[in-house]
Amino acid sequence: SLTHWVSVQRAQYKRMKSGFICRLTQEQIQRLEDEGFDWKDTWDTRLEELRAYKKEFGNCSVPKDYKEVPELGKFVQEQQLQYKAVHEG
């Protein structure tokens, strides 16, 4: 699927940035960048949005229906659920 392919490209790029061998060539990286490919995944993007929210409001208590960035409230809720699942079983 396209989602899987994008994830693989991002993982390979991260490997390259960390100094490891990756399957992506510089030409492939440049071609993707020329098309506007975003190397950050959604999680990283949401984390940046959460940092901006915290800077503005002083907390990470994003409402589920936060109108400025609707996906952010859902993201925070998902992270809280995952945390509880891991730490509370």
Side-chain angles (χ1 to χ4, degrees), residues 43-61:
W43 195 93
D44 291 329
T45 301
R46 294 290 168 259
L47 181 59
E48 287 178 13
E49 293 167 350
L50 182 58
R51 286 179 177 144
Y53 182 93
K54 183 177 180 183
K55 185 175 181 179
E56 183 175 346
F57 297 103
N59 63 61
C60 293
S61 301

Side-chain angles (χ1 to χ4, degrees), residues 9-10 12 27 32 34-35 38-39 48-49 58 60 66 81:
Q9 304 318 300
R10 287 180 174 143
Q12 287 297 311
E27 179 186 356
L32 287 166
D34 289 347
E35 295 299 323
D38 186 359
W39 293 108
E48 287 178 13
E49 293 167 350
C60 293
Y66 182 53
L81 291 172

